[in-house]
Amino acid sequence: MDTLVSVGITGVGGYAPPGVLTNHDLEQMVETSDEWIRTRSGISNRHIADAATATSDIALPAARQALERAGLAPDALDIVVMATFTPDYLLPATACTIQHALGATRAAAFDLAAACSGFIYAINVIAPSIATGQFRNALVIGADTLSKVTDYTDRSTCVLFGDGAGAAVLQPVPAGRGLLASYLRADGGGCEMLYIPGGMTRKPASHETVDARDHYVKMSGNEVFRFAVRALEEAVLEALSRAGLTAADVDLIVPHQANIRIIDGAAKRLGIPEDRWVINLHEYGNTSGGSIPLALNDAYEQGRLHEGDVVVFVAFGGGLTWGASVLRW
Ligand code: ACO
């Protein structure tokens, strides 16, 4: 065990497509109001990809930025992991498209499906391989183009989702820094609380599935809300306890950007002051896999990440999946 090295994030990047869909735009599309959306979710805008843009197209600028900030050439990468549930194609993995576009000629590549928890899952899957020396340089991307699987006639979901990407370079870091501890969970019993029923092996694409709008995200908002508040608190407390820390030690917390009421509720229960939370959902909505790394990138660009800080990532989402990681920056 004493040969394990510490693993940390040495570069971050983020990107969202330029097109913006405002609450006022949505008022013209479904029966809703700017006031309802803001008070129930905290969201004002979301960025939306155009018809020609796929998930790899929004992931690439984020990936390039993370590599540049880490001072790493693409051909030095050993592995590219893409956390997404909206890949360019089901076959092959979007990570391979990104590997090729970057010129990461030596890298392995695969996609990971854990919905909104995907970025946290991915860093935890990859970090041990760096710790043991199997890989040295990894690129972990979280990105989703949710607008492509959102039903813009369903007001209970279309006001929440947007498109976005974030990326992080993972490398060995000095002892005591980087990833300290994590807590990851899943409960497949909640599958139908948040899922896309059609288009795959359970219900292959047919005229009927298209007519039934089964290729879009279906969500039981209330049930997911209740699960989310509990999952967020549990994951943060468990991950902190495994790191030998408490909520009072947290300098910055980057939560999944789903709903401001979920975050406010958790902030109160955990006793972590509001100014320690990174929030950008008012501008991007819920970008699923992109949510945490895009918010992390915002925190970086705002100068909110300082060496030695205790930083927590926490997510919940489809699966159901949830989890948290504690890092010393
Ligand atoms: N505009 C106006 N009214 C609406 C809208 C809307 N956009 N959406 C729903 N309503 C109505 C409902 O129809 C309902 O009306 P009714 O009482 O006449 O039936 C009323 O508002 C209240 O609906 P609720 O669902 O109880 O509203 P709630 O306060 O729970 O907010 C919301 C709904 C925002 C969806 C909330 O439940 C939520 O955020 N849930 C969690 C969602 C989430 O985090 N999902 C992401 C998980 S991550 C992932 O993997 C994508």
Side-chain angles (χ1 to χ4, degrees):
M1 289 297 280
D2 56 1
T3 58
L4 292 183
V5 299
S6 298
V7 179
I9 291 175
T10 55
V12 296
Y15 182 79
V20 172
L21 183 69
T22 67
N23 290 351
H24 297 294
D25 295 331
L26 284 159
E27 284 174 345
Q28 312 303 314
M29 297 160 67
V30 287
E31 203 183 320
T32 191
S33 67
D34 170 54
E35 207 261 334
W36 192 96
I37 302 170
R38 275 189 295 103
T39 54
R40 298 299 181 103
S41 74
I43 299 166
S44 296
N45 296 327
R46 55 301 281 142
H47 288 238
I48 302 293
D50 62 23
T53 299
T55 300
S56 68
D57 300 317
I58 64 167
L60 268 166
R64 291 197 172 103
Q65 192 171 49
L67 285 169
E68 197 182 302
R69 287 177 178 159
L72 195 71
D75 63 3
L77 281 172
D78 299 305
I79 187 149
V80 177
V81 186
M82 173 70 164
T84 189
F85 78 91
T86 52
D88 291 15
Y89 310 104
L90 206 59
L91 174 74
T94 302
C96 295
T97 303
I98 292 166
Q99 169 273 329
H100 176 70
L102 288 174
T105 48
R106 292 177 46 254
F110 72 96
D111 285 2
L112 181 151
C116 305
S117 311
F119 181 76
I120 295 181
Y121 265 60
I123 60 174
N124 281 285
V125 164
I126 291 305
S129 298
I130 300 176
T132 56
Q134 187 190 352
F135 301 131
R136 194 168 169 81
N137 304 316
L139 178 66
V140 173
I141 303 163
D144 273 300
T145 313
L146 271 163
S147 62
K148 309 273 177 171
V149 293
T150 295
D151 184 349
Y152 287 99
T153 66
D154 175 5
R155 69 176 181 176
S156 71
T157 54
C158 73
V159 301
L160 302 173
F161 300 139
D163 303 336
V169 172
L170 263 63
Q171 291 181 296
V173 292
R177 302 268 299 281
L179 194 59
L180 301 180
S182 294
Y183 173 78
L184 298 180
R185 289 289 306 276
D187 176 8
C191 163
E192 293 182 7
M193 276 161 65
L194 183 50
Y195 77 136
I196 300 179
M200 283 311 306
T201 61
R202 179 65 61 201
K203 233 190 223 191
S206 67
H207 290 296
E208 290 72 29
T209 60
V210 172
D211 289 346
R213 311 182 79 76
D214 278 343
H215 304 267
Y216 294 123
V217 172
K218 314 280 182 211
M219 182 177 73
S220 311
N222 268 318
E223 280 182 275
V224 174
F225 192 97
R226 280 196 299 276
F227 149 71
V229 174
R230 179 180 53 76
L232 205 159
E233 185 184 14
E234 172 193 305
V236 171
L237 290 177
E238 287 288 340
L240 281 170
S241 140
R242 290 177 183 191
L245 298 168
T246 70
D249 298 310
V250 175
D251 295 301
L252 201 71
I253 178 161
V254 188
H256 173 42
Q257 308 286 314
N259 187 317
I260 195 67
R261 291 187 296 140
I262 294 173
I263 296 173
D264 284 348
K268 275 199 197 79
R269 291 156 71 132
L270 288 163
I272 300 176
E274 266 173 45
D275 63 352
R276 311 252 163 107
W277 295 75
V278 180
I279 314 255
N280 66 4
L281 57 81
H282 50 276
E283 179 58 26
Y284 300 107
N286 177 352
T287 61
S288 192
S291 166
I292 288 179
L294 187 60
L296 181 66
N297 183 61
D298 275 7
Y300 172 81
E301 292 185 348
Q302 291 159 9
R304 295 179 70 186
L305 288 160
H306 310 108
E307 212 173 293
D309 278 357
V310 171
V311 179
V312 175
F313 304 154
V314 59
F316 52 86
L320 303 168
T321 56
W322 66 106
S325 283
V326 183
L327 296 90
R328 188 169 298 277
W329 203 255

